[in-house]
Amino acid sequence: MSNFSFLIQTAYRDSRKNRSKLVLFMSSIVLGVAALVAINSFNYNLRNEIDKEAATLLGADLAASGNRPAEAGILRVLDSLPAERAREMEMLSMAYIPKTDESQFVRLKALEGNFPFYGKIKAEPAEAATTFRSGPFALVDRGLMLQHGLQSGDSIRIGKMMFMIQGKLDGSVGSVGMASAVAPAIYINLTSLDSTGLVQPGSLINYAYYYKVPEGFNIEKWKKDRKSLFKSDQLRVETVESRKENLNKAFSFLNYFLNLVAIVALLLGCIGVASSVMIYVRSKTNSIALLRCLGMKPMDAFLVYFIQIVALGLIGVIMGVLTGVLIQSALPVILKDFIPVTVNNALSPKAISEGFFLGISVTTLFALLPLVSIRNISPLRTLRVETEASSGAFDYLKTGILVIIGIVLIGFLWLLTSSFLTSLAFVAGIIVSYLILSGLSSLIITMLRKSIPSNAGFVTRQGLSNLFRPDNQTQTIMVTIGMGTAVLTTLMILQSLLLNNVSMMDAGKQPNMILYGIETNQMDDLKKLTLASGLPVIQEVPVVTMKIDGWKGRTKAQWLADSLMTAERWAVNREARVSYRDTISDDEKLVSGKLRKYNNEGDSIFVSLGTTFADAMDAEIGDEIVFNVQGTRIVTYVGSLREIEFRNLSTRFFIIFPTGVLEKAPQFQVVVTKTPDNSTMSKYRTEVVKAFPNVSVVDLTTILQSVNDILKKVSFVIRFMAIFSLLTGMIVLISSLLLSKYQRLKESILLRTIGATRSQIIKINATEYAFLGFLSAGTGVFIAVLSSFLVTKFQLKLDYQIAWWPVVGIIVGIVTITVVIGMLNSRDIVSSPPLEVLRKEGS
Amino acid sequence: MAAILKVEQLSMQYTSGQRQLSVLQDINISIEEGETVAITGPSGSGKTTLMGLCAALDNPTSGQITLLGTVVNPLTEDQRAILRNKHIGFIFQNFQLLPSLTALENVMLPLELQGIKGAEAEAERLLERVGLKDRMTHYPTQLSGGEQQRVALARAFINKPKILFADEPTGNLDGDTGATVESLMFDLNKDYGTTLIIVTHNPDLASRTGRIIKLRSGHIVSDLKNDPATAIN
């Protein structure tokens, strides 16, 4: 190297008049690095918080929970712990609000003891978190109180009992905001629960037992020593450590997703970097040729531009890190509904240094791809001789750089995910997505080029031809904007598709309301009330709860001890809700065997199983299954298998007994009806809850609302991330427009010189940008339609329908933005006199 | 006097698609130190290609070029760059100033490339010599064509080149401006004792040199001594 300080000085001088052109090049880096730093900072803070808050999340040193009370033996073992104890029963139920004469589906949490032992129930006023435990009081979800205009001191009826509201509930232990979208929570004390009359045989209740051990007690060891005992029951036993593990597992998906978004944003930024540097180098070809002509060595000429790019890249990366730190403070707010802890926005040195080093290395590597072509610029270019040797030979240097980029990315992902295979799959996935998008773009461009109609007007032909001018960035823009559009549109299609499918349940004569938990002696009155409200009783179904005691000649305990057991634990351990009838319902299809009646006492009992449950039990026709119906053992045989459809709101049972067996067993009833509209539904629901406080009502409007709320929150997060991709696309668009401005300028000046009017030039430019926007958005929408179709058909197994208007809206929106950005960028091309522009821009 | 440039059996071919295009064939020239030479000929006759090869900007298909006693053919690109930087000056038809550098910085460039201190003073002196004392901090876009070519002249002479290649130096200038630039070029050439090789269509410019080489279709068709004193100025 001749003189490094001279090279730096030349680099500085050369960049002097071009820095504004490279601002957008830096913006690509800023966006990519900002996304990476923000997301990783959030990730690391979340992990730290989970580690730190694990005890608070569990609220105890040990928690055991299940959907039926712990068996006496297990409870004895748990209670042998030298610990402070607490108990909780949680169920979904209806609440009646006298103040507004309305009813509400709620999650009822009945508490006994000083739970949580760690952390606290957040309430306003704070003392309400304690006072509700001392009598018939309730702590009610803030959202529910707001919705119904409730205040502390107002009443709320749950089941048969009236509670006085003590305060607003802002967050229960370990729960996520998303849960309140399904059913807002209400805390009461456990002793009041019995008086509500909601606890009946068959009620869906979650039982939890909490223990706080003295300091120094090794709860992990205690649990480990009793591992086999806890394993054999359906009770889930968690300690702080296992909760931490479970949470980290649960959030690893969120981590992967966020990492993917960050890497994609960074890579899109890098595509922007590579394309802007390529155009920058091309615009500098004459200067480089002259420097070479005056005696600069090829390596020094390369270094002059390399120094410029690295310096600007460095500034871009630093700005990206700073922006990332700012964005990071917004992420905990956006994601708060998905996480059970409050994530702070502390600076994460790890995320910052990772963002910095990955940003600088990837930016440099991507910039190197076009920069290395400087070594091929001949000094002969100064002499008007067109000597560009595009040999088409294999470029080892460029290939080497691409390989290094791959290695750096895999290495970084490996660091993030701790899994080499995942990192490899990640990078492969990104490459494949890019190839598909760029292949598709290339195909569309080729097709369009061949099909420009010769009889189209001059403006259209010229505008279209501009898409294929030398140094065009059509494909890069199509890839970046297309990717953002694809993500956004896929989300939108899937969201509306899921909602449509749920609302379709309401179509025609399909039921839209289920009432459950009805005592047998309430049935007549309830039916009367229903019919008096003008509603039909579509189904009345008895439900008996039971457990499985054994199957295929062995007891459950024997099976559970056998490591070769083929049945799945969820099927074996569940408390089954069973009905009895001798017919197949409209939602079912008999696929094997037949429904066999039970005629006389002593006959074999043949049950009918749903295919999903039969598969999980590994049961076939003729297999023996022994049920325990609240203490009574009943031996049955599999008589038939049914395929059950889940499209409509209706009662469905994995296990159906024949009539004549369970009639005398303790049971509750379910009634299915159909309301014509929301106001009738709301009025009827309130009347039912008033007259039959123990009855729960699930209606389609509530489900639809919950699904909508959840989808809205999920898609908002994904949308927030997709915006990065779209912004990068727009930046690539702006930078390529700016950098190819001189070329456009020369064309426009020539056209104006030979007589084109200002409006013709504007139309030509607008046509070009409109096509560019349309092709980009169209490619994205095409991919979105294809991917959402595949997901719907093969993953969700639903009918595929698209609401086309919003899709058209997306295309129109992107075309408009592209045209506006394009026209703003070229306004001085059309508004200044040709000579003035030429003098200013030319050299 | 010793030959500063010797061209022997020089041929140059380009591949255009499937076809071989012969631009120069069997060229032999010997130019002595201090000579002023014009290479003329119609468009496409190979003038510029010949100049590019002589100035070590490209490699011939066959033949040998000896510049300042050094055979150019086997030199690496870095060695050629050093040769150009130290001993050769260039003037181009389209001026070829770096748009991002001021007039002064453009002139300083060849000396700075050599790492020589005091380039600024020498550049200022030369700019003053070409009458641009007041325009030193201006960028090329702020200068007229004639002024740009005068900056290019100052840059060409700053490294006191042994040999100066000028490609249609007045081709982009009007008559009066062209004449001013022409006079400056010959005056500087005389002051610095440089060998001057000019590629031109302009017979008046060619007539001011001591030797005129005419090319047609890649061949030398005449190589005649000329008396510049008879030239019409």
Side-chain angles (χ1 to χ4, degrees), chain A residues 89-294:
Chain A
M89 285 165 75
E90 183 182 327
M91 65 193 299
L92 292 169
S93 173
M94 297 305 291
Y96 170 69
I97 297 139
K99 190 176 181 180
T100 53
D101 194 25
E102 284 175 326
S103 56
Q104 169 82 43
F105 194 60
V106 298
R107 195 155 45 94
L108 186 65
K109 289 160 92 75
L111 207 56
E112 178 193 75
N114 288 325
F115 183 79
F117 301 122
Y118 305 103
K120 56 181 179 183
I121 295 172
K122 288 180 204 151
E124 186 198 324
E127 60 269 21
T130 316
T131 54
F132 84 88
R133 301 166 199 252
S134 58
F137 303 123
L139 192 58
V140 179
D141 176 84
R142 177 184 287 273
L144 190 154
M145 287 184 68
L146 266 176
Q147 188 190 340
H148 295 277
L150 293 171
Q151 306 285 334
S152 295
D154 286 344
S155 300
I156 187 162
R157 202 181 75 193
I158 297 158
K160 294 172 185 161
M161 180 140 176
M162 197 68 85
F163 290 85
M164 187 183 161
I165 298 171
Q166 291 288 292
K168 294 178 184 126
L169 173 68
D170 278 322
S172 50
V173 172
S175 73
V176 296
M178 191 63 86
S180 69
V182 182
I186 295 181
Y187 270 104
I188 59 169
N189 72 23
L190 192 61
T191 42
S192 305
L193 184 65
D194 276 346
S195 328
T196 62
L198 293 173
V199 183
Q200 293 171 32
S203 299
L204 293 161
I205 301 173
N206 188 63
Y207 298 82
Y209 306 85
Y210 300 107
Y211 299 88
K212 182 193 177 192
V213 293
E215 218 167 306
F217 186 88
N218 191 340
I219 191 75
E220 286 301 322
K221 186 177 179 300
W222 186 89
K223 184 190 157 195
K224 204 175 162 192
D225 291 346
R226 289 154 186 82
K227 197 175 167 187
S228 56
L229 181 74
F230 295 140
K231 199 177 170 185
S232 65
D233 199 73
Q234 66 175 42
L235 218 56
R236 174 183 156 122
V237 180
E238 277 189 293
T239 58
V240 174
E241 276 309 307
S242 60
R243 168 61 67 98
K244 210 190 290 185
E245 244 170 61
N246 291 339
L247 276 174
N248 278 326
K249 252 187 233 163
F251 284 105
S252 64
F253 174 75
L254 182 68
N255 272 337
Y256 282 153
F257 168 71
L258 293 178
N259 282 330
L260 175 69
V261 173
I263 293 287
V264 167
L266 183 68
L267 287 181
L268 283 178
C270 287
I271 293 172
V273 166
S275 67
S276 7
V277 172
M278 183 182 78
I279 299 171
Y280 184 63
V281 167
R282 288 202 185 164
S283 76
K284 287 284 180 181
T285 305
N286 283 342
S287 296
I288 296 164
L290 182 71
L291 286 169
R292 297 278 316 278
C293 190
L294 294 177

Side-chain angles (χ1 to χ4, degrees), chain B residues 45-80:
Chain B
S45 58
K47 306 183 295 289
T48 307
T49 306
L50 177 60
M51 182 177 137
L53 291 169
C54 292
L57 293 175
D58 203 0
N59 251 338
T61 313
S62 64
Q64 180 173 292
I65 297 163
T66 311
L67 188 63
L68 297 153
T70 306
V71 179
V72 172
N73 306 51
L75 294 184
T76 65
E77 187 44 51
D78 278 0
Q79 289 167 324
R80 285 161 192 252

Side-chain angles (χ1 to χ4, degrees), chain A residues 629-674:
Chain A
V629 184
Q630 283 139 58
T632 309
R633 287 181 83 246
I634 301 179
V635 179
T636 67
Y637 300 93
V638 179
S640 63
L641 300 177
R642 290 163 298 126
E643 210 169 75
I644 308 170
E645 278 210 15
F646 285 87
R647 289 194 179 201
N648 300 320
L649 189 71
S650 183
T651 53
R652 290 170 191 88
F653 297 93
F654 280 143
I655 304 160
I656 295 283
F657 268 64
T659 53
V661 181
L662 297 173
E663 276 76 356
K664 288 187 180 142
Q667 55 194 274
F668 66 90
Q669 307 290 320
V670 173
V671 163
V672 177
T673 182
K674 159 93 178 169

Side-chain angles (χ1 to χ4, degrees), chain A residues 48 52 70 78 110 220 323 367 371 471 630 642 661 713 725:
Chain A
N48 282 343
K52 222 165 61 188
L78 287 169
E220 286 301 322
T323 315
L371 274 178
D471 294 347
Q630 283 139 58
R642 290 163 298 126
V661 181
K713 285 177 177 171
S725 157

Side-chain angles (χ1 to χ4, degrees), chain A residues 38 45 386 828:
Chain A
N45 285 340
E386 293 304 325
D828 59 339

Side-chain angles (χ1 to χ4, degrees), chain B residues 103-145:
Chain B
L104 184 69
E105 287 164 352
N106 261 293
V107 178
M108 287 156 62
L109 199 57
L111 288 188
E112 286 186 321
L113 273 168
Q114 289 178 43
I116 292 174
K117 306 273 180 218
E120 194 170 339
E122 181 63 14
E124 279 173 4
R125 203 185 58 74
L126 264 165
L127 280 170
E128 200 177 336
R129 171 87 167 78
V130 296
L132 293 174
K133 189 184 171 188
D134 301 330
R135 313 298 298 268
M136 289 187 198
T137 56
H138 289 214
Y139 287 97
T141 49
Q142 298 166 317
L143 300 171
S144 70

